[in-house]
Amino acid sequence: MAQLIATSGDITRLTVDAIVNAANTSLLGGGGVDGAIHRAAGPELLGACEKLDGCSTGDAKATSGFRIPARWIFHAVGPVWRGGGHNEDELLASCYRRCLELAREHNARSIAFPAISTGVYGFPMKRAAEIALKTVRENVEASGVERVEFVCFNEETLSIYEQLLARD
Ligand code: AR6
């Protein structure tokens, strides 16, 4: 059984096989965790992203980690929250599924996720965390991933994840 844990801090500093970026469809960088990842990985990351020709919402694409400790960066594009009636839940779940598929393809055994879509994109945190955990629990075994870290950027997020992880 894979280990699922919630941690707090900066995702760019983690020693895991893959970290997930909360990107946008251009894959050419932005603010939030995306900006932090590009700053930490260095300018080579932008060069690699330019070759990917963007990414659809709900999908994810892989690059090398360049100057960060993680070997891979999986750039996932979460949905912008538009009230909940525009397929946001399914598109968010799809990001987590696609990242686990990429983990399988790249033989990543440990992966760290930020709370995709919950910053600039406005997805409600608890609802996003429930989707993240459900989707990872359903797909982690098939991916070969042994350790999943949910990286929480503040105390409130950490306590939501800890409560959900303690359930079941
Ligand atoms: N490590 C871990 N989590 C972080 C970090 C960090 N270094 N920095 C922020 N977070 P956001 P989104 C948390 O806005 O909502 C970008 O401009 C943050 O507190 O980064 O998916 C992209 O280019 C929040 O809980 O991503 C897109 O245009 C979570 O990461 C757009 O923002 C996600 O917040 C994507 O918006």
Side-chain angles (χ1 to χ4, degrees), residues 24-36:
N24 58 61
T25 54
S26 79
L27 296 185
L28 300 180
V33 72
D34 195 7

Side-chain angles (χ1 to χ4, degrees), residues 9-11 22-24 29-34 36 115-121 125 153:
D10 182 357
I11 199 167
N24 58 61
V33 72
D34 195 7
I116 300 168
S117 282
T118 64
V120 177
Y121 281 0
M125 181 58 78
F153 209 52

Side-chain angles (χ1 to χ4, degrees), residues 7-14 20-39 76-80 92 113-123 125 150-154 157 161:
T7 60
S8 59
D10 182 357
I11 199 167
T12 66
R13 305 178 76 89
L14 296 179
V20 174
N21 185 14
N24 58 61
T25 54
S26 79
L27 296 185
L28 300 180
V33 72
D34 195 7
I37 288 173
H38 275 266
R39 276 193 300 280
V77 183
V80 176
L92 186 62
F113 286 97
I116 300 168
S117 282
T118 64
V120 177
Y121 281 0
F123 208 109
M125 181 58 78
F150 296 97
V151 184
C152 304
F153 209 52
N154 57 44
T157 308
Y161 269 94

Side-chain angles (χ1 to χ4, degrees), residues 74-90:
F74 300 155
H75 304 267
V77 183
V80 176
W81 179 256
R82 291 162 62 204
H86 294 82
N87 210 24
E88 292 97 325
D89 291 352
E90 174 48 30

Side-chain angles (χ1 to χ4, degrees), residues 3 21 26 31 33 40 57 69 71 80 105-106 112 140 143 148 152 165:
Q3 184 189 17
N21 185 14
S26 79
V33 72
T57 302
R71 173 134 189 240
V80 176
E105 280 168 35
H106 293 87
V140 71
S143 74
V148 180
C152 304
L165 282 166

